[in-house]
Amino acid sequence: MPAHLTARRSPPLSGRVRAPGDKSISHRALILGAMATGVTEIEGLLEGDDILATARAVEAFGATVERQGEGRCRVTGQGGFRQPAGVIDCGNAGTGVRLLMGAAAGYAVTTTFDGDASLRKRPMKRVTGPLAGMGARFDWQTMEDRLPVAVIGGGLTAIDYVQTVASAQIKSAILLAGLNAGGVTTVTEAEPSRDHTERMLTAFGVEVGVLPVGDGRRVSLQGGQCLTGTAVAVPGDPSSAAFPLAAGLIVPGSEVTVEGVMLNPLRTGLFETWREMGADLTVSNRRMAGGEEVGDVTARHSKLKGVIVPPERAASMIDEYPVLAATAAFADGATVMRGVGEMRVKESDRIALMAAGLTACGVRVEEEAEGFTVFGGPVRGGATVTTHGDHRIAMSHLVLGLAADQAVTVDEPAMIATSFPGFVELMSGLGADIAASE
Ligand code: S3P
């Protein structure tokens, strides 16, 4: 991998591409497959670094993972987790480590979890707090709330947990632990977060109750239920599709189609927001795949206008604010993004890094504690952006560079492979000028 990648102003982009497999669903397919009895056949699996770390982790817990071709893999579960031999290194993956901690807490095993420098900075008590309430024990190896941590599992009792943070990772960790806890585990969320765990558990034969409560949901399951291996077809990741689609919207004369994009309404807040900004975004060939609605999404170059993004939409597009901010730089007027404090505890502090990167590219940004505003106008570019190893910060700035006056360079490009291996090749195939640089 080169030291840097540089994106330059590009001619109109055109073509049809396939989105890589959804990262959230790929993690869950491997983890549930390992917890299940029997064989789980996965197709369309994302083969990004985050997922490869989860695949190694479930093998360490006793499952067999056999790669059978591109995106095709067979997981043979043992109906539970066995004692792993060494430390479970989840790399860069917050979803991987938090879901695995929840699953491991349910079994009588002691597991030390660790991750890369970015993952070691991210809060873990949001998950270990409720798991401790169920009876799991935690031994923080260096400091509280941060990896590495040893999880001592087994003997859990159910919890009735009311979430203060809208987070599918927390909800999922509790539900996975709840599968092996005595009693009925319930998670109540004020704003609904992505529901892939609930949907997939049902596909593995688990009875999951979902009730609407106000604007949110209450999800519950009875402990002691067994999972049975099944087939999982992973749909295309809307969070990854966002990058070629964003490029289509901002590079003059472009028309880009991404095929097989998951359209789960708890994931499509960005598309809704882009439409409100005046984006020419259309969906064709709607169909069901792997229990989710998918479609082919086409973005044509559009004259965008700034909007106020409703804060209650945040959970349905939390990973998409960086790329939204990149497109907002080309809009007429201000795009106001509030209620997104969670962005500060992702792979990096994404509010701070987007504000810094866009400002370095000549875009006016106002940063707040829990949000930021991007003022559209001419985008100069001409900067080298520090990504702190965050894949989405890198891809957002590269997309910006395709329509900026001067080139935009990002550091640590190897990290893009955590969620979007083949990003540069896919974008180049559409006509984007993205190349290695020193
Ligand atoms: C994810 C949930 C989100 C998201 C992450 C994937 C998941 O995190 O940012 O990339 O697969 O459950 P939170 O649930 O913590 O908001």
Side-chain angles (χ1 to χ4, degrees):
M1 250 294 160
H4 294 94
L5 281 177
T6 297
R8 293 187 175 77
R9 207 179 168 83
S10 296
L13 307 183
S14 72
R16 297 178 75 86
V17 290
R18 262 203 94 72
D22 187 72
K23 181 154 75 70
S24 294
I25 293 186
S26 296
H27 279 300
R28 287 162 172 79
L30 290 168
I31 296 170
L32 268 53
M35 295 173 81
T37 305
V39 172
T40 292
E41 304 273 4
I42 309 172
E43 60 173 57
L45 186 78
L46 170 67
E47 294 185 303
D49 291 344
D50 277 13
I51 304 303
L52 299 180
T54 291
R56 283 192 296 273
V58 299
E59 285 186 305
F61 283 119
T64 309
V65 181
E66 297 161 90
R67 187 176 189 271
Q68 300 190 304
E70 207 188 317
R72 284 201 305 117
C73 135
R74 172 181 290 168
V75 181
T76 308
Q78 302 297 326
F81 282 8
R82 304 219 174 124
Q83 177 63 46
V87 171
I88 302 290
D89 183 352
C90 292
N92 192 244
T95 305
V97 75
R98 294 190 177 118
L99 268 56
L100 283 165
M101 283 202 284
Y107 301 108
V109 295
T110 297
T111 314
T112 304
F113 288 97
D114 203 353
D116 71 4
S118 151
L119 196 55
R120 280 182 167 205
K121 287 192 198 131
R122 298 179 65 183
M124 293 296 145
K125 271 192 128 171
R126 48 179 49 206
V127 166
T128 64
L131 295 178
M134 300 172 83
R137 286 177 297 132
F138 297 91
D139 184 6
W140 304 101
Q141 314 275 289
T142 49
M143 66 182 285
E144 218 171 278
D145 199 20
R146 295 289 184 270
L147 297 177
V149 64
V151 180
I152 302 137
L156 303 187
T157 43
I159 192 171
D160 186 346
Y161 190 72
V162 179
Q163 288 206 141
T164 47
V165 181
S167 164
Q169 292 181 358
I170 303 174
K171 171 178 64 180
S172 302
I174 297 169
L175 292 175
L176 295 184
L179 286 168
N180 291 298
V184 177
T185 291
T186 302
V187 181
T188 307
E189 41 183 11
E191 306 275 353
S193 62
R194 63 191 73 192
D195 58 358
H196 309 309
T197 302
E198 298 90 301
R199 285 178 187 240
M200 203 183 287
L201 279 172
T202 309
F204 277 80
V206 173
E207 259 183 56
V208 183
V210 181
L211 284 175
V213 187
D215 292 334
R217 288 181 181 179
R218 178 173 299 139
V219 184
S220 54
L221 56 81
Q222 170 77 52
Q225 297 189 66
C226 295
L227 285 73
T228 308
T230 185
V232 181
V234 181
D237 195 330
S239 303
S240 298
F243 297 103
L245 293 172
L249 293 178
I250 61 173
V251 175
S254 298
E255 177 171 333
V256 169
T257 299
V258 185
E259 297 174 348
V261 180
M262 175 168 53
L263 299 171
N264 180 320
L266 298 172
R267 295 289 299 281
T268 49
L270 173 69
F271 298 160
E272 210 174 326
T273 305
W274 272 343
R275 285 209 186 90
E276 289 169 4
M277 294 172 80
D280 182 348
L281 201 68
T282 50
V283 181
S284 60
N285 195 16
R286 283 180 187 266
R287 57 203 184 272
M288 291 302 286
E292 295 279 1
E293 192 184 12
V294 301
D296 302 339
V297 184
T298 300
R300 295 178 192 86
H301 175 245
S302 304
K303 194 170 156 38
L304 301 174
K305 60 175 194 319
V307 294
I308 299 174
V309 185
E312 58 276 12
R313 196 176 288 163
S316 69
M317 54 177 291
I318 193 64
D319 292 335
E320 281 68 79
Y321 284 91
V323 71
L324 171 64
T327 54
F330 295 90
D332 277 339
T335 297
V336 182
M337 294 162 276
R338 295 217 166 100
V340 292
E342 276 294 293
M343 284 179 73
R344 293 201 186 273
V345 290
K346 296 294 177 187
E347 285 82 329
S348 68
D349 178 343
R350 288 182 169 162
I351 295 179
L353 289 194
M354 283 314 296
L358 291 177
T359 304
C361 291
V363 179
R364 193 177 139 216
V365 181
E366 276 174 14
E367 187 179 340
E368 298 163 28
E370 305 249 320
F372 60 130
T373 299
V374 173
F375 296 86
V379 179
R380 188 195 62 225
T384 296
V385 173
T386 305
T387 65
H388 286 217
D390 186 328
H391 52 129
R392 297 200 205 280
I393 298 294
M395 290 186 279
S396 299
H397 285 94
L398 289 171
V399 164
L400 181 98
L402 300 176
D405 293 337
Q406 298 169 30
V408 176
T409 296
V410 302
D411 67 356
E412 299 190 64
M415 294 306 289
I416 290 173
T418 59
S419 67
F420 203 149
F423 169 76
V424 175
E425 295 76 7
L426 181 143
M427 295 299 290
S428 304
L430 293 169
D433 182 351
I434 302 179
S437 54
E438 281 317 308

